[in-house]
Amino acid sequence: MRQAFPVASSSLGPKTNPSADPSYVYQIQALHESGVFAALCSDDSVRAFHTGGGLGLAWVLPTKHEGVTQLKTQVWDSRALLLTAGRDGAVKVWDQRMSCGGKETGANQKPVVNLKEDKTSAILSLASSLDLPALHWNPKSSTTLLSASSDGLVNIYDTSIADEEDALLQIINHGSSVHHANFLSETEVFALSNNELLSIYKRRDSIEGEDEEDEDPPNFGFGDVRRLLGCDYVVDVMPLGGGGLVYAGSHSQRKLDIIPIKSTPAWDFEVKDTIRLYPAHEEEIVRCVHIDQSVSLSSLMKLKGLWTNISKTGTILTGGEDGFVRMWKANEG
């Protein structure tokens, strides 16, 4: 086990939405500008921080969503963009360069594109009327889409198929409300429930002789991982090189553990290679983790040299319900 130590922290500052609850961080994403990261906050804002010489607030973008839920970064036609989505059914596209003039972008900041939900022109109607906490493309296929819902189902679609019934390739019943789900590889997905049940499933078309009517058993079911990992909750699982990193937190022990999970020779946690962030966000829950992978993507994807790369040049950022963003460095151990 290696230790990571906090080297800087920054509060979110005043709320941009006075009627919102006390602000905390949903997500952290790296921006196109080197050393600048964006935090999606519960007051419907995006706040950018620069990591050079500490952790300073660069700018604030009030998105004016009614319940912001997602933040993504994208470069299109040499243009660095931010994409935000909310419970209001809107997706907004912002030019990152428009947010570099000062710390407060102001109420007049306008998105480049503002897309509103239109059910009449939907290309594919996902087979769930409940909340969808996870929606991801297969990293090796631009037409294979995964969705997960609060009814415990994980669905896999082929979006190149026009007929909706035929487009639904596989239904996985996780048995409990799904909190996170994603592709770990081209052929395997994970599902994590709100009560910390973690299982890994094979895609049906990757199993030889699989009958379409057979129930999909988990390739490996860890069960409730809280006792196994000594944690109170799991923040998320980050897919990485056919395996992943599990972010396991404990507000009672004031820690966050970054634990590798590998598929060979069998699915298991590499607990000995854990990086521990102490004291995390004290007694508050950690909502998101971001590891700057730019230091050595090839090594990270092989899950080799991960800790060496992070300890020498890498940055770990966390956001919590305490309203702080923290920056961490790992020792070489």
Side-chain angles (χ1 to χ4, degrees):
M1 179 182 295
R2 292 162 170 78
Q3 297 287 334
F5 302 94
V7 294
S9 67
S10 178
S11 69
L12 299 181
K15 295 186 294 183
T16 61
N17 182 354
S19 63
D21 293 331
S23 300
Y24 54 86
V25 182
Y26 288 138
Q27 290 177 270
I28 297 175
Q29 294 274 331
L31 296 184
H32 183 63
E33 183 181 353
S34 178
V36 181
F37 298 84
L40 184 68
C41 305
S42 59
D43 64 349
D44 296 337
S45 74
V46 176
R47 286 168 163 83
F49 298 87
H50 52 77
T51 58
L55 194 59
L57 182 64
W59 46 261
V60 181
L61 171 66
T63 67
K64 295 182 173 57
H65 279 287
E66 297 176 10
V68 69
T69 58
Q70 288 289 325
L71 169 69
K72 296 295 181 183
T73 60
Q74 182 68 45
V75 176
W76 181 75
D77 195 23
S78 301
R79 194 174 185 181
L81 303 173
L82 281 174
L83 290 83
T84 58
R87 294 184 180 90
D88 51 5
V91 176
K92 300 180 182 182
V93 183
W94 311 82
D95 189 334
Q96 292 184 28
R97 294 172 300 179
M98 296 171 64
S99 304
C100 299
K103 288 191 174 182
E104 174 63 60
T105 62
N108 295 324
Q109 177 74 15
K110 301 293 184 182
V112 178
V113 179
N114 191 347
L115 304 175
K116 193 69 176 178
E117 179 184 24
D118 182 2
K119 294 181 180 179
T120 63
S121 60
I123 298 173
L124 175 66
S125 178
L126 301 182
S128 177
S129 59
L130 303 175
D131 290 341
L132 297 177
L135 191 65
H136 297 284
W137 295 102
N138 187 309
K140 299 293 185 180
S141 171
S142 61
T143 62
T144 304
L145 180 68
L146 173 150
S147 73
S149 60
S150 55
D151 58 3
L153 299 182
V154 178
N155 297 330
I156 299 176
Y157 302 87
D158 184 344
T159 59
S160 67
I161 299 175
D163 183 84
E164 289 189 10
E165 291 187 4
D166 292 338
L168 181 57
L169 302 179
Q170 184 174 358
I171 301 175
I172 297 169
N173 188 351
H174 189 54
S176 187
S177 177
V178 177
H179 181 47
H180 289 293
N182 202 348
F183 293 98
L184 286 174
S185 67
E186 188 175 2
T187 60
E188 291 171 303
V189 304
F190 81 86
L192 173 71
S193 71
N194 287 306
N195 55 352
E196 318 308 342
L197 298 175
L198 176 64
S199 293
I200 298 168
Y201 302 87
K202 281 189 176 293
R203 282 183 52 191
R204 185 185 299 281
D205 56 7
S206 71
I207 306 173
E208 293 185 4
E210 185 75 13
D211 191 310
E212 288 189 2
E213 300 301 322
D214 289 343
E215 183 178 351
D216 293 292
N219 179 52
F220 194 92
F222 290 99
D224 187 337
V225 296
R226 285 175 288 191
R227 178 174 295 182
L228 181 63
L229 300 179
C231 65
D232 297 331
Y233 60 93
V234 175
V235 180
D236 201 353
V237 179
M238 184 180 85
L240 195 62
L245 298 176
V246 178
Y247 305 141
S250 174
H251 47 78
S252 61
Q253 301 178 59
R254 301 193 305 163
K255 68 174 184 177
L256 177 82
D257 289 340
I258 301 175
I259 308 168
I261 180 173
K262 295 185 180 180
S263 59
T264 55
W267 282 105
D268 202 1
F269 297 103
E270 295 288 328
V271 178
K272 63 181 177 61
D273 288 330
T274 296
I275 282 186
R276 173 160 295 174
L277 282 58
Y278 181 85
H281 286 248
E282 303 292 343
E283 289 82 13
E284 298 293 338
I285 292 176
V286 178
R287 292 295 297 257
C288 58
V289 182
H290 177 84
I291 297 177
D292 182 6
Q293 298 183 33
S294 62
V295 291
S296 180
L297 185 59
S298 60
S299 293
L300 285 172
M301 291 303 290
K302 296 177 182 177
L303 281 177
K304 295 178 180 178
L306 171 64
W307 317 125
T308 301
N309 285 318
I310 289 178
S311 67
K312 288 182 177 179
T313 56
T315 298
I316 304 171
L317 295 173
T318 59
E321 293 190 358
D322 56 355
F324 277 82
V325 174
R326 300 187 189 277
M327 182 167 66
W328 306 77
K329 294 287 187 178
N331 64 13
E332 295 189 42

